[in-house]
Amino acid sequence: MSSRGVKDPLQGDFPEVIEEYLEHGVMKCIAFNRRGTLLAAGCSDGSCVIWDFETRGIAKELRDKDCVAAITSVCWSKYGHRILVSSADKSLTLWDVVKGEKIARTTLPQTPLQARLHPGSSTPSICLACPFSSAPMIVDMVTGNTTVLPVSLSDTGNGVVPPSRNKFSDGSAPFSPTAACFNKYGDLVYVGNSKGEILIIDHKNVQICGIVPIPGNAVIKNIVFSRNGQYLLTNSNDRTIRIYENLLPLKGGLKFLEESNHAGDEEDAFEKLKAVGSRCLALFREFQDSITKVHWKAPCFSGDGEWVVGGSASKGEHKIYIWDRAGHLVKILEGPKEALIDLAWHPVHPIVVSVSLTGLVYIWAKDYTENWSAFAPDFKELEENEEYVEREDEFDLMPETEKVKESDVNEDEEIDIVAVEKDSAFSDSDMSQGEICFLPADPSPDVPEPQDKFVGSTSKQGDSNQSASALSEEAGQSGRLTSHISTPLEAMDNSAAEDNGGTSSRRKRRSSELV
């Protein structure tokens, strides 16, 4: 069922219950590949695990002997050939997915909280890194060169913050972590700064092309584009998620901005950039919980851009809020009493994957009811028993009614089981690039499992009506942290206190499937 054309928001294509969970060490962050067939997870011991999402088994584990610190982010290249991993030891590592080999590794002056590969290349070596206490920067993984991006108009073009009287213990100036992301084709970078402004930057020329002020001027914590590049999402300190419509053409946006800047007659530079910004982004919707006023964690779009999802940043809560793009809250998913630190929506299916503070990855899916007519089109469900009179030839080997029918299928025709049909959801894909969708699974020995216990999973609807949902299992492990970590840096600092020595990996289905 498609979410388009659905009148009742409660009948939409979004997840409802925890279907199962994945466990391998202590996972910190996750990212789907472009087709949603592979799921990469960064762990607290510095390794990156790639799960086959169809079989829910581990396909590959990327481990760098030089990196033992917690992973802060993972990012796939467009066609799945490469993975970029950022770590708490200030390093960026680029991996070859198929070979499992390290392509390049570089170390930044500050810990990168997030790193994103350039989306316009099939084998990218350029990435955008967002360090904890410095401005975002463009990094060339091959040469190691870095280009610091400006974070405000007052910058001199090198992204350096003016000197301040208040300094950290090491003498460096204080700096709020700045969110940034590429647009769909990577010719522009959108930066959300601590002044509540979205800067549209030509990263090749290190030039601010436009400015869009956020209502209230609150600090921007997250900024991300929808899959189709038509909408931009921001998450601010004022507990509000905002959706902006992208008014620039998807291709050639930089050229459009260059023409707009030359055409402007405003004398004041800031007003000129604001005028350009107003022609780039238009505020579309705002989302917030007006009752609890919670902060949001890892907000993002669904694969088709029809839904917006955000996790609650409250302590000890694993709540996921889902809105439709019109602004209606349609679902609140409640998981175990474990803080949520990351989440991702599957690119194709109505599936949400969330990471808890204990390092487990929960898979949320729709609670489908069995429909036997899907397997036998002539099957009809009966509300009560009916007397049935069989036909005389119903159980004959060759019924008279079917003798006259002739099949028009050419049984000698060879069936192509190798070629992949082009999916309309990936209209910009170039199949000549040899996109990687699956990896051969690495066999691993079975390990004894501790006694399982059940964890209740509930789902709330927008009208606050409680509805029962399936139970999911949670592995009982000792030594787990229960305190909430509100920032990625705190997660990195506390990773040593967590159980990162466990190497067992397994998945659990919900209890109804085990009976």
Side-chain angles (χ1 to χ4, degrees), residues 246-429:
N246 182 19
L247 304 180
L248 292 177
L250 295 182
K251 287 187 177 181
L254 178 58
K255 184 179 179 181
F256 177 85
L257 282 177
E258 290 174 346
E259 295 174 354
S260 299
N261 284 330
H262 289 306
D265 297 329
E266 294 87 349
E267 296 181 0
D268 183 69
F270 182 75
E271 292 300 324
K272 178 181 178 180
L273 292 175
K274 281 180 59 178
V276 174
S278 65
R279 297 193 292 269
C280 299
L281 295 174
L283 184 60
F284 184 73
R285 287 286 184 271
E286 292 186 350
F287 306 92
Q288 62 179 342
D289 190 329
S290 57
I291 299 176
T292 60
K293 299 289 185 181
V294 298
H295 284 280
W296 304 111
K297 198 87 170 180
C300 62
F301 290 95
S302 62
D304 57 5
E306 293 294 322
W307 310 97
V308 176
V309 61
S312 169
S314 300
K315 295 181 179 181
E317 274 191 352
H318 202 97
K319 282 186 178 181
I320 300 175
Y321 291 67
I322 300 177
W323 300 269
D324 61 14
R325 211 167 56 195
H328 303 110
L329 178 63
V330 297
K331 204 77 169 179
I332 300 178
L333 307 177
E334 290 192 21
K337 300 300 182 182
E338 305 166 4
L340 183 149
I341 59 176
D342 197 13
L343 63 84
W345 194 299
H346 192 281
V348 181
H349 302 299
I351 295 175
V352 168
V353 179
S354 61
V355 184
S356 74
L357 183 62
T358 59
L360 299 179
V361 171
Y362 293 96
I363 301 174
W364 301 78
K366 284 187 67 65
D367 190 16
Y368 291 102
T369 57
E370 293 181 345
N371 182 10
W372 292 101
S373 61
F375 303 96
D378 56 347
F379 182 86
K380 184 175 67 172
E381 295 184 8
L382 301 177
E383 295 183 0
E384 57 183 19
N385 292 337
E386 294 182 7
E387 183 178 356
Y388 177 74
V389 180
E390 65 182 47
R391 300 194 314 271
E392 184 177 351
D393 60 352
E394 183 169 1
F395 297 102
D396 292 351
L397 293 179
M398 184 63 69
E400 294 292 335
T401 56
E402 296 184 4
K403 285 183 180 179
V404 296
K405 295 182 180 180
E406 295 183 1
S407 176
D408 56 354
V409 177
N410 184 4
E411 298 181 355
D412 297 329
E413 182 182 359
E414 293 186 0
I415 301 176
D416 186 1
I417 61 174
V418 177
V420 179
E421 294 183 1
K422 191 169 183 179
D423 193 333
S424 59
F426 307 97
S427 57
D428 61 338
S429 64

Side-chain angles (χ1 to χ4, degrees), residues 398-477:
M398 184 63 69
E400 294 292 335
T401 56
E402 296 184 4
K403 285 183 180 179
V404 296
K405 295 182 180 180
E406 295 183 1
S407 176
D408 56 354
V409 177
N410 184 4
E411 298 181 355
D412 297 329
E413 182 182 359
E414 293 186 0
I415 301 176
D416 186 1
I417 61 174
V418 177
V420 179
E421 294 183 1
K422 191 169 183 179
D423 193 333
S424 59
F426 307 97
S427 57
D428 61 338
S429 64
D430 183 2
M431 297 307 296
S432 64
Q433 296 291 340
E435 184 172 356
I436 296 176
C437 295
F438 299 98
L439 293 171
D442 290 337
S444 59
D446 294 334
V447 293
E449 299 181 1
Q451 186 176 0
D452 297 324
K453 60 181 179 179
F454 295 115
V455 175
S457 151
T458 61
S459 171
K460 284 188 178 180
Q461 297 180 350
D463 58 1
S464 301
N465 290 333
Q466 299 268 354
S467 63
S469 63
L471 292 176
S472 65
E473 293 180 276
E474 176 192 4
Q477 296 190 2

